[in-house]
Amino acid sequence: MLHLDLRSRQVLTSVPTSDHPVLFATGTGIQLLAIDQHAGTLSILPSEPLQPGGVVLPAAASTAYAAWFDTVAFVPAPATRKLLIFDLERRKAAGSIALDGVPGTGVVTPDGDKLYLPIEDHGTVAVIDTHLRQRTASISIGAAPVQAIIAGGYGLCH
């Protein structure tokens, strides 16, 4: 993985990763979440400066969601039917939320307050309060949802 300075068009640093990492930047880009699907791990890497190593935590998954002002990450673990919680400030595991079935592809609201996570084999969408780090509701849709998206959402002023 290369850290580039786009102004100078220079490579600032190179960080070794697995052959096929799945990378997710937090909303502010302060950290990178790197999933190694072969090893079943999640690495939390600071991006300024980008450093090798990071914190490697167990997480057999393929996606990650950063939320609540980039203080928390949620990682669906389909095999265990759990939503794993990671504290990004302390860079450590912070528990899990049991799911009714296999999670699909979710979405975090623009303000980072909620995660909507489809539960494919249960016909529901789990509503996760990212600040409280708990499931607060389920939306029954009577079909097998595979993805949640936000369309026509509101903008944020910074």
Side-chain angles (χ1 to χ4, degrees), residues 6-21:
L6 298 179
R7 288 189 189 130
S8 68
R9 298 185 180 118
Q10 303 265 335
V11 175
L12 298 176
T13 189
S14 174
V15 175
T17 64
S18 66
D19 289 339
H20 303 286

Side-chain angles (χ1 to χ4, degrees), residues 93-105:
S96 65
I97 297 170
L99 300 173
D100 302 337
V102 177
T105 303

Side-chain angles (χ1 to χ4, degrees), residues 24-50:
F24 303 91
T26 60
T28 60
I30 292 172
Q31 298 182 83
L32 291 174
L33 307 174
I35 294 177
D36 180 337
Q37 293 177 312
H38 299 303
T41 59
L42 169 73
S43 297
I44 301 170
L45 305 168
S47 62
E48 283 296 332
L50 187 61

Side-chain angles (χ1 to χ4, degrees), residues 112-123:
D113 186 47
K114 299 275 189 290
L115 166 62
Y116 292 93
L117 189 66
I119 308 300
E120 293 180 8
D121 52 350
H122 201 260

Side-chain angles (χ1 to χ4, degrees), residues 54-126:
V55 176
V56 179
L57 302 166
S62 60
T63 191
Y65 305 97
W68 196 251
F69 304 106
D70 290 350
T71 61
V72 64
F74 296 93
V75 178
T80 59
R81 296 182 178 214
K82 290 182 180 179
L83 183 61
L84 307 176
I85 304 168
F86 296 94
D87 186 314
L88 294 178
E89 293 178 315
R90 293 179 179 85
R91 295 194 180 138
K92 67 178 189 173
S96 65
I97 297 170
L99 300 173
D100 302 337
V102 177
T105 303
V107 65
V108 176
T109 57
D111 63 1
D113 186 47
K114 299 275 189 290
L115 166 62
Y116 292 93
L117 189 66
I119 308 300
E120 293 180 8
D121 52 350
H122 201 260
T124 60
V125 175

